[in-house]
Amino acid sequence: MPNSIKRLAVVSFDPETEKELNRLHPEIPTVSLDFSAVRSAVPEDLENHRYVVYQLILMLRSHIAAVLSSRGISFWSMQQDSIWTENFVSMNVEQHYPDSLLIFDTVGNDQVSIFQKKMPGWICGSTFFVRASPVTVDFFKKVALIMTRRQSPDSSIMTYLCGAPCYKCAKLPRWVISSSNFFMGNRNVTPVIIQVDHESKLPKMELFKRENFLFVNDDGTCNASATKI
């Protein structure tokens, strides 16, 4: 996809991933953060042990977002388990929301009514845009601060904070970006980005096979014909 990695920088928690990225794309700025000491410091018998470690990673993401914004850098934050079906960069989505300081994806599926009834506008948090501003610096500092006092997903905290008009949050339609709730519907409309944060115990590629969402050959190479919408 043309220019899809032009603005890309990568934060990795796996040194081997960083090495491979540097080998394949030396032009992409990458940094690897070793969380092994943090993992070992969290007692194994602590309730929700694995989520405590994950929450620390989410806190770090909020700190990174605050620092980038404080340096005048506007950016999209995106997770590695997001599938692009079209060139998202070429859409210049943030230009369609000139008055918004923050742009978020949401959980749910437009075909499943419970999301509109129980969780309207609930942020997913896998993909979001930050417009550099003292306001967005304050936003992510607050997210990180609350996470030091509450065991909670950052997405729920961001949803709560976006209730304050001063943060000027916008929510993207699900045809642009969808969570894995996309697989709950009939898939008549394929989102530009699908973030696969699923609850199944299956590996993600196995989940795709089960859902007949195939784009990889048996040898691991990309099936180019399957990626054409």
Side-chain angles (χ1 to χ4, degrees):
M1 295 182 181
N3 298 317
S4 59
I5 62 174
K6 188 176 181 180
R7 294 168 55 186
L8 182 63
V10 176
V11 178
S12 168
F13 298 95
D14 179 3
E16 292 304 315
T17 298
E18 182 185 16
K19 289 179 183 178
E20 186 66 9
L21 274 172
N22 288 336
R23 184 182 70 82
L24 295 173
H25 297 284
E27 74 279 13
I28 298 176
T30 62
V31 60
S32 181
L33 302 174
D34 187 355
F35 251 67
S36 57
V38 176
R39 291 191 185 96
S40 61
V42 179
E44 289 284 347
D45 58 351
L46 184 68
E47 185 179 4
N48 294 335
H49 167 268
R50 293 180 64 184
Y51 193 83
V52 170
V53 175
Y54 182 55
Q55 178 155 333
L56 291 172
I57 293 174
L58 295 177
M59 286 174 59
L60 176 62
R61 181 173 71 164
S62 290
H63 284 298
I64 292 173
V67 169
L68 291 176
S69 181
S70 71
R71 296 185 179 184
I73 301 172
S74 299
F75 63 94
W76 282 95
S77 174
M78 194 169 298
Q79 296 179 188
Q80 85 287 354
D81 52 357
S82 298
I83 300 172
W84 290 25
T85 64
E86 297 181 42
N87 191 335
F88 179 74
V89 172
S90 67
M91 295 172 65
N92 296 313
V93 172
E94 63 270 29
Q95 294 182 14
H96 296 278
Y97 297 84
D99 298 325
S100 299
L101 297 177
L102 295 157
I103 308 171
F104 290 100
D105 57 355
T106 61
V107 301
N109 186 307
D110 292 333
Q111 301 169 27
V112 182
S113 61
I114 190 172
F115 290 109
Q116 290 303 112
K117 293 178 180 177
K118 302 290 187 179
M119 305 175 71
W122 194 274
I123 290 170
C124 176
S126 66
T127 301
F128 55 84
F129 176 74
V130 179
R131 203 178 302 278
S133 160
V135 175
T136 53
V137 174
D138 176 72
F139 181 90
F140 284 102
K141 283 185 175 181
K142 277 192 170 67
V143 172
L145 177 62
I146 294 173
M147 292 185 79
T148 64
R149 303 176 180 181
R150 298 283 189 275
Q151 185 171 325
S152 171
D154 61 347
S155 57
S156 62
I157 298 171
M158 291 189 287
T159 301
Y160 166 72
L161 291 176
C162 278
C166 64
Y167 290 122
K168 298 183 179 180
C169 299
K171 311 288 179 60
L172 290 168
R174 296 188 183 108
W175 67 264
V176 177
I177 301 176
S178 175
S179 67
S180 56
N181 298 132
F182 161 72
F183 293 106
M184 299 172 67
N186 59 27
R187 299 193 233 166
N188 287 341
V189 177
T190 302
V192 177
I193 294 178
I194 306 168
Q195 197 274 330
V196 190
D197 188 7
H198 67 99
E199 297 179 358
S200 169
K201 294 182 179 180
L202 291 172
K204 293 187 179 182
M205 296 310 296
E206 291 299 319
L207 175 69
F208 294 151
K209 288 182 181 179
R210 189 188 72 182
E211 298 291 344
N212 197 30
F213 198 75
L214 304 175
F215 51 88
V216 177
N217 296 316
D218 291 338
D219 62 1
T221 59
C222 177
N223 180 354
S225 63
T227 64
K228 296 178 181 178
I229 305 299

